[in-house]
Amino acid sequence: MIRSHFTLLCFVAVLGFLASIPSSRAQEPNQPQQPMVYEGPVGGLRIIEEGQPPVMIHATMEQMKQFREANPNARPGAVQAAATTNDLFYHGGTGGIGVETTPKVYLVLWGSQWNNNDPSGEAAILENFYRGVGGSSWLNSVTQYCQGVATGTVTCGTSGTHAGNQTGIFAGVWADNASSAPSKPKQSQIAAEAVRAAQHFGNTTAASNATVQYVIATATRNNSSGFGRQYCAYHSSTSSTEGNVAYTNLPYITDAGASCGANFNGLGPDAGMTIVGGHEMGETITDQFPSTGWLDSAGAENGDKCAWISSGQGAAADTSLSTGTFPVQSLWSNAFNSGSGGCVLSYP
């Protein structure tokens, strides 16, 4: 049984609450001003480089805190002030692809800056998290979403082809350290590295990249402009001779401190690594080529709607995987609470 609504996603570029935060528009010294297009939700669709596709950003903790202070009646799951339809719904996909049906995650440690330079141990923590997360109850909420159904679908039921959560999601790591990465990589440079990663791993056709994501991790103090002020990470996709390639820009998270999750909810100084990394992974699985997968009517994905919850339903917490215990945020489930939706740490 497919349940649908026909509220169309309306991207209205407004400054809103985020533009009122001075730090959210700060630019790096000697860097050209980048176009930041602010939509309704905290997190979500942004244009950060002319000529590049939009990205889906992970809001900083400070951005979410200021939003919730300005909108005290907004419950978790609401990421903008105006009332909108709460559920995620299908946006039609790109070439029929809206979700990752058999997800694969490749981790790329980009640049010689990583050599003997990982003070927080992020490479090992991320690899262990990705190795263990496939098949977990934490990630399983993604499996309620699907492709091959009508635009506007809210509940897939047995229809369509569902997003996957198989064991062995982690497909490999590449230490691309023969030369240095740019000191402050632009989106176009991150995208080009994702294409090189696809080639490195032998994914050289559109079909082989249809259910794959590349996590481009930069070394400490080697992060893109805007990290820690405008976003904690972002995901997007790029077209190439290898087909559409989905990727995440994952900066060295602990460089941002509390802004991107250090000690969030008492989960420790390294908490942000897997909170942010898991957020981006879950969003890419359900919105492979943004923003044509599963989003709500304000343009928020399953991670955006549940970011930085400190108490109550969906509060960030540790999750136990076969490879260890890792801090995670909750992910949005349309099915929670008899179909009214909510942020969940396990599913069903």
Side-chain angles (χ1 to χ4, degrees):
M1 183 70 177
I2 297 178
R3 178 166 57 93
S4 300
H5 69 73
F6 300 96
T7 304
L8 296 178
L9 176 63
C10 178
F11 292 122
V12 180
V14 296
L15 291 179
F17 127 85
L18 285 175
S20 69
I21 306 172
S23 63
S24 71
R25 296 186 63 87
Q27 301 293 323
E28 295 290 332
N30 303 318
Q31 292 289 316
Q33 185 171 358
Q34 294 181 342
M36 290 295 292
V37 176
Y38 293 103
E39 309 296 343
V42 185
L45 194 74
R46 303 288 188 271
I47 297 172
I48 64 171
E49 183 180 337
E50 293 285 1
Q52 290 295 304
V55 304
M56 302 297 289
I57 69 162
H58 184 315
T60 67
M61 194 167 65
E62 182 65 20
Q63 288 171 331
M64 187 61 76
K65 176 184 175 183
Q66 293 195 25
F67 166 76
R68 287 175 178 155
E69 287 174 348
N71 300 276
N73 295 322
R75 65 184 181 88
V79 292
Q80 41 84 66
T84 62
T85 300
N86 214 29
D87 282 329
L88 306 180
F89 63 96
Y90 189 50
H91 285 64
T94 298
I97 298 169
V99 301
E100 294 183 350
T101 56
T102 52
K104 291 183 179 180
V105 177
Y106 293 94
L107 175 63
V108 180
L109 306 175
W110 186 25
S112 59
Q113 293 95 330
W114 276 101
N115 296 342
N116 301 311
N117 185 35
D118 186 4
S120 298
E122 294 204 9
I125 290 171
L126 288 169
E127 183 171 345
N128 284 331
F129 174 69
Y130 292 134
R131 282 189 185 280
V133 74
S136 68
S137 60
W138 172 75
L139 187 58
N140 207 44
S141 63
V142 303
T143 63
Q144 68 192 271
Y145 308 113
C146 66
Q147 60 192 26
V149 293
T151 298
T153 294
V154 174
T155 302
C156 294
T158 58
S159 299
T161 305
H162 287 240
N165 177 31
Q166 77 279 7
T167 58
I169 279 177
F170 183 68
V173 59
W174 178 31
D176 183 13
N177 58 5
S179 60
S180 61
S183 60
K184 294 186 181 297
K186 298 179 180 179
Q187 180 189 351
S188 53
Q189 294 169 320
I190 297 283
E193 177 67 1
V195 173
R196 287 190 291 271
Q199 295 165 346
H200 172 81
F201 287 110
N203 297 324
T204 56
T205 65
S208 63
N209 282 302
T211 190
V212 166
Q213 55 183 284
Y214 302 92
V215 179
I216 310 303
T218 49
T220 183
R221 299 183 300 280
N222 196 58
N223 307 302
S224 299
S225 298
F227 166 60
R229 299 184 315 281
Q230 295 171 344
Y231 56 83
C232 290
Y234 63 73
H235 74 101
S236 188
S237 63
T238 189
S239 59
S240 74
T241 56
E242 282 67 42
N244 291 323
V245 173
Y247 65 89
T248 288
N249 174 15
L250 189 66
Y252 200 83
I253 296 298
T254 52
D255 282 353
S259 183
C260 292
N263 296 306
F264 184 69
N265 254 19
L267 295 171
D270 299 334
M273 298 180 200
T274 51
I275 289 176
V276 175
H279 172 119
E280 297 301 322
M281 178 184 64
E283 289 186 337
T284 305
I285 290 173
T286 54
D287 188 20
Q288 168 83 335
F289 303 131
S291 49
T292 64
W294 288 79
L295 306 90
D296 71 10
S297 59
E301 298 172 314
N302 63 338
D304 297 322
K305 291 170 72 65
C306 303
W308 307 126
I309 301 175
S310 59
S311 62
Q313 176 63 37
D318 283 329
T319 191
S320 294
L321 307 177
S322 61
T323 51
T325 299
F326 302 91
V328 291
Q329 70 159 77
S330 55
L331 298 174
W332 182 264
S333 168
N334 282 356
F336 179 71
N337 198 19
S338 301
S340 62
C343 297
V344 299
L345 287 165
S346 65
Y347 178 88

